[in-house]
Amino acid sequence: MWLYYENQFIFTFFYILYIYIYFYLLFKVTFMLFLSIISLIFFVGEIKAACPMEYKVSPLPPATLFTVDDNELSFSDSVTLQSLAGSIAKEVSPILYRSGNVQYETWLDEIKMKTSILINDTYTDRPGDLIDHLLVTYTASTVITGLVTYANVSDSISLSHAVTYCSGSQGLVVVLATDAVAYSSKYSLPVVFDAEYDTLPDSLQFSDHSIVFQQPDAQPFLIEYAVFSDSPYLSWNDVSRDTHLTRLSDASSSCAAAYGWVSDEGSYVSYLANYGIFAHASDWALDMVSLSNIHVPIPPLPQTPSDVPTDKAVHTVTFVMTDGDNLQWLLGSFLQDSWYGSSAMSTTPMGFTLSPALIDVSPTSLAYIYSRATGDTSMVAAPSGLGYTYPELLSSEELNSYANSTSVYMADTQMRILNILAGNDVTTDDTLQSSSSPFLCYSNIDAVFYYTYGSGYAGGGGKSMRDESTGKPIITARFSLWGEGTDTATSPMLGNDAMVAALKEQVKDLNSVDGYSLIPVHAWTHTTADVAYIIEQLAAQDPSVEVVTPAVFLSRFIDHTIS
């Protein structure tokens, strides 16, 4: 009997233990699964928050694009057609493609080859008829519901306020006040705002990510994009400028871009940076609405050739074309023979700065540029990352947010070297560190090429240092290929032959930081052919000076100067 109870006790004990373990494990697994789900939700939230910059897209991609020759447009027709197209793109899809030069024809050819978008050339040289066709079509569907009037071409304030009202509203088109009666009668559209007499209301809804600065009476190229992107459209001296900049600056967790341009570059970029806003030089850019809404695959960049230096007594040089932050140049003339379209490209190892924003601003252009890259071409993220700004002027919070966005866009565009352009000529260790470190903490950014604003970007004199946290290199420019300077004693800005002479005199040591020279190539005074000429002369006069791509340059620098 005792044995019977003992067995029963043992059985009951292990049964209870089993039940306890079962429910304990069940609870633990359920709890861990719950925590995983919660963590995943917050992790995804962090990923989304990691890139606070947003570029506007239409509700639908373009199905048909109507072409128009920009040279055929009168000023008033350009204003009306652009505002009309911008309002339609904002609510439906892009419908306009303005051709004006050979490079925009290249993008159009790419669209024809790589997409199913219908290109309608019916109204190419008849912009008035295109305006009529679009108004008839889109008033009938109630996409366009009203008119905004401006006084005349010479009244830039009236025009900018008319476009701004249209940008902050839905379904409107801007017309000359003297044409308002005819438009209103023909298309049954009321005038909802007269910019000559009415005051802009506070109820307008603007983007937290963009603003446009353009002197509208001189070059109204960005009206379509301003309306489409809900961006205020202002001249730089507009009295409401600082109010709009403050609103953008105060928008939580956002990066913001100023499109257009102002002639005083340094003051303009500095002023924007003080509000945490970066510049997208674009005052002559066309078709950013259509190009930003056409998505094509981006080809991979060619692999960097393996580099095994045969001699340690060498001076390693890399040339990098400047001004890749300039969207109007990238879209308008970058492919010309002077630069990326040069016949010397295939045999000239060099780098080109390029805006990472191009992947959203014009994927068609980025894909075309990448498809023509060779192993002798390196892409460097243009100053100073996602857009043109001076990092030293941004607050810590602004800089971290901006660095987040830059790292995401650099990853998407396969770029691993960042070019920073400072707004001053200070290159102390603290300055280089504080401006570069927020970017270098990201694993996809390998180095910073650091330029000063003065001395042709070469005020750092070739100084380099390692980031304190990551050990990644920060390298300043030694000289610049800029103008026709002849003497390094007076300026680091040199012409072709002076550059050859200066590089021959440099330290030839693979293991020394002094054995490396980063050279900016000023895009407006020198060409790809000039770089090819310098390489040819160095090969003939001093083969121990080796010119390589930025990728190879960086690889050598890391492998041989950084333990």
Side-chain angles (χ1 to χ4, degrees):
M1 182 67 69
W2 178 84
L3 184 59
Y4 169 80
Y5 284 110
E6 181 181 36
N7 290 338
Q8 285 290 96
F9 174 81
I10 293 172
F11 174 81
T12 303
F13 172 80
F14 280 106
Y15 179 79
I16 293 172
L17 181 62
Y18 168 81
I19 295 297
Y20 172 83
I21 293 173
Y22 173 84
F23 280 104
Y24 171 79
L25 292 176
L26 181 64
F27 171 81
K28 186 173 183 180
V29 170
T30 304
F31 182 71
M32 292 302 295
L33 181 61
F34 171 78
L35 288 181
S36 298
I37 293 171
I38 294 299
S39 299
L40 181 61
I41 291 172
F42 282 102
F43 178 68
V44 171
E46 288 176 2
I47 296 246
K48 291 179 179 177
C51 185
M53 182 57 187
E54 295 178 5
Y55 290 89
K56 181 72 178 283
V57 293
S58 292
L60 296 172
T64 299
L65 289 176
F66 293 92
T67 62
V68 64
D69 185 346
D70 207 58
N71 299 312
E72 296 291 330
L73 287 169
S74 66
F75 189 95
S76 60
D77 278 351
S78 180
V79 170
T80 298
L81 182 58
Q82 285 191 68
S83 62
L84 174 58
S87 287
I88 294 169
K90 178 158 50 177
E91 297 196 44
V92 188
S93 66
I95 46 81
L96 181 65
Y97 193 91
R98 296 152 60 205
S99 59
N101 68 31
V102 173
Q103 192 158 312
Y104 282 96
E105 291 298 323
T106 299
W107 310 143
L108 187 58
D109 289 340
E110 287 293 291
I111 293 168
K112 291 176 181 177
M113 287 190 296
K114 295 183 177 179
T115 75
S116 59
I117 298 169
L118 176 65
I119 306 301
N120 190 323
D121 297 325
T122 304
Y123 304 101
T124 298
D125 57 355
R126 295 187 289 128
D129 290 342
L130 177 57
I131 291 171
D132 178 68
H133 171 75
L134 294 176
L135 280 172
V136 169
T137 302
Y138 288 97
T139 53
S141 60
T142 67
V143 171
I144 301 300
T145 58
L147 303 174
V148 177
T149 63
Y150 65 100
N152 52 61
V153 174
S154 62
D155 188 349
S156 61
I157 295 177
S158 172
L159 176 55
S160 67
H161 285 192
V163 175
T164 295
Y165 187 92
C166 192
S167 300
S169 308
Q170 301 285 330
L172 303 179
V173 58
V174 178
V175 300
L176 264 172
T178 53
D179 296 335
V181 173
Y183 274 101
S184 184
S185 175
K186 185 173 183 178
Y187 305 107
S188 301
L189 294 172
V191 174
V192 298
F193 184 78
D194 183 341
E196 184 177 8
Y197 300 107
D198 298 343
T199 302
L200 288 170
D202 295 332
S203 58
L204 298 175
Q205 300 295 310
F206 297 115
S207 168
D208 287 339
H209 299 282
S210 56
I211 190 169
V212 174
F213 289 110
Q214 191 166 61
Q215 198 62 33
D217 58 340
Q219 47 202 34
F221 291 108
L222 292 178
I223 288 176
E224 181 189 10
Y225 193 79
V227 172
F228 160 71
S229 61
D230 311 312
S231 303
Y233 181 82
L234 308 173
S235 63
W236 182 244
N237 295 321
D238 193 288
V239 294
S240 66
R241 176 192 66 196
D242 289 357
T243 299
H244 285 289
L245 292 178
T246 300
R247 179 187 59 79
L248 287 175
S249 180
D250 291 343
S252 60
S253 301
S254 71
C255 286
Y259 295 84
W261 194 243
V262 172
S263 58
D264 188 346
E265 175 182 336
S267 296
Y268 174 60
V269 177
S270 295
Y271 200 92
L272 293 174
N274 284 318
Y275 286 91
I277 298 168
F278 60 85
H280 273 330
S282 50
D283 51 326
W284 293 87
L286 303 178
D287 299 314
M288 291 207 304
V289 174
S290 55
L291 290 172
S292 64
N293 280 281
I294 298 171
H295 300 287
V296 298
I298 308 300
L301 287 168
Q303 292 294 313
T304 300
S306 59
D307 175 62
V308 183
T310 57
D311 189 350
K312 291 188 176 182
V314 297
H315 188 79
T316 304
V317 183
T318 194
F319 290 91
V320 183
M321 190 68 72
T322 67
D323 287 81
D325 62 290
N326 190 329
L327 295 181
Q328 65 186 12
W329 179 48
L330 296 179
L331 297 178
S333 55
F334 181 67
L335 300 182
Q336 290 180 5
D337 186 63
S338 294
W339 303 292
Y340 202 72
S342 172
S343 57
M345 272 286 297
S346 61
T347 57
T348 306
M350 65 180 297
F352 287 84
T353 52
L354 200 67
S355 173
L358 208 56
I359 196 169
D360 276 352
V361 173
S362 181
T364 301
S365 306
L366 183 66
Y368 184 90
I369 291 168
Y370 276 20
S371 71
R372 278 149 182 77
T374 70
D376 280 330
T377 309
S378 290
M379 299 302 178
V380 175
S384 293
L386 184 54
Y388 183 9
T389 190
Y390 303 136
E392 74 275 7
L393 296 181
L394 302 179
S395 70
S396 177
E397 181 181 3
E398 290 166 347
L399 182 55
N400 288 332
S401 176
Y402 179 72
N404 279 338
S405 291
T406 291
S407 71
V408 171
Y409 276 81
M410 284 182 64
D412 287 346
T413 52
Q414 309 164 50
M415 300 186 208
R416 303 193 66 87
I417 303 173
L418 170 64
N419 181 199
I420 286 179
L421 175 56
N424 55 45
D425 294 342
V426 179
T427 55
T428 62
D429 286 359
D430 287 345
T431 299
L432 297 180
Q433 174 71 28
S434 61
S435 292
S436 304
S437 185
F439 300 94
L440 292 173
C441 69
Y442 293 97
S443 61
N444 64 296
I445 303 178
D446 294 334
V448 164
F449 286 177
Y450 193 97
Y451 294 171
T452 60
Y453 188 77
S455 301
Y457 299 164
K463 173 182 177 177
S464 63
M465 64 173 290
R466 294 170 59 180
D467 175 56
E468 293 174 357
S469 300
T470 65
K472 297 176 182 178
I474 305 166
I475 305 170
T476 69
R478 188 176 302 280
F479 308 117
S480 64
L481 188 59
W482 190 315
E484 298 301 331
T486 59
D487 186 0
T488 57
T490 57
S491 172
M493 302 161 66
L494 304 173
N496 293 353
D497 291 323
M499 182 64 71
V500 172
L503 291 174
K504 287 164 56 180
E505 297 301 316
Q506 300 309 303
V507 172
K508 297 177 175 67
D509 184 351
L510 193 65
N511 297 322
S512 168
V513 294
D514 293 325
Y516 295 80
S517 288
L518 167 62
I519 312 294
V521 181
H522 186 230
W524 313 129
T525 59
H526 284 277
T527 66
T528 300
D530 289 333
V531 177
Y533 168 82
I534 292 170
I535 294 173
E536 179 182 293
Q537 294 301 308
L538 287 170
Q541 299 179 34
D542 189 349
S544 63
V545 180
E546 295 185 3
V547 178
V548 298
T549 66
V552 172
F553 177 90
L554 181 60
S555 175
R556 284 191 184 184
F557 191 92
I558 292 174
D559 291 345
H560 297 281
T561 72
I562 298 178
S563 58

